Amino acid sequence: MTYVQGFIAAVPAANKEAYLAHAREAAGYFMKWGATRCVENWGDEVPKGELTDFQRAVLAKDDEVIVFSWVEYPDKATCDAASEKMMSDPDMAKMQMPFDGARMIYGGFDTIFDQGK
């Protein structure tokens, strides 16, 4: 099964095109380093909850949209190697994020069930 890195961020609505350009550039690196798929999703219907929700998880502001994305790798070892390259690549360090990366949440996940590919 695959290994997935998932991300949730709050992006200013006005930065949608800049975010998409950033995502495309980052995907090029991820794919070069072994990712098999990169998916970006722009929030459309992301309700506020009474106890928890995506907005609170990333401290979203009123003018921000929730982005839900993931990068798939064949295994954790490939993901770990890609993460190491990402942290040491000088070109990646030059990339400007069109959102507050400090409020992004992320994690790595082992796929335990996958139906419908």
Side-chain angles (χ1 to χ4, degrees):
M1 288 265 172
T2 58
Y3 191 80
V4 176
Q5 276 189 322
F7 307 88
I8 300 171
V11 179
N15 290 357
K16 184 176 183 180
E17 292 306 315
Y19 180 82
L20 186 55
H22 169 78
R24 285 182 173 135
E25 183 178 2
Y29 288 101
F30 297 140
M31 300 298 283
K32 176 176 80 170
W33 296 328
T36 57
R37 184 177 183 207
C38 297
V39 179
E40 295 287 341
N41 302 279
W42 190 257
D44 175 54
E45 185 177 338
V46 186
K48 291 187 177 180
E50 292 186 27
L51 183 60
T52 63
D53 58 39
F54 284 107
Q55 287 83 5
R56 279 183 270 205
V58 294
L59 303 175
K61 299 174 184 169
D62 289 340
D63 67 335
E64 293 178 322
V65 175
I66 301 300
V67 173
F68 174 59
S69 53
W70 68 88
V71 179
E72 294 179 12
Y73 292 93
D75 51 48
K76 186 176 187 318
T78 303
C79 178
D80 289 347
S83 294
E84 196 171 301
K85 290 174 186 170
M86 179 175 57
M87 297 309 246
S88 64
D89 188 304
D91 290 333
M92 284 283 300
K94 295 176 193 172
M95 289 178 66
Q96 296 294 314
M97 291 194 299
F99 62 95
D100 181 0
R103 291 185 288 132
M104 177 177 68
I105 59 174
Y106 63 92
F109 302 86
D110 282 315
T111 301
I112 60 171
F113 180 79
D114 185 349
Q115 180 178 335
K117 271 190 175 183

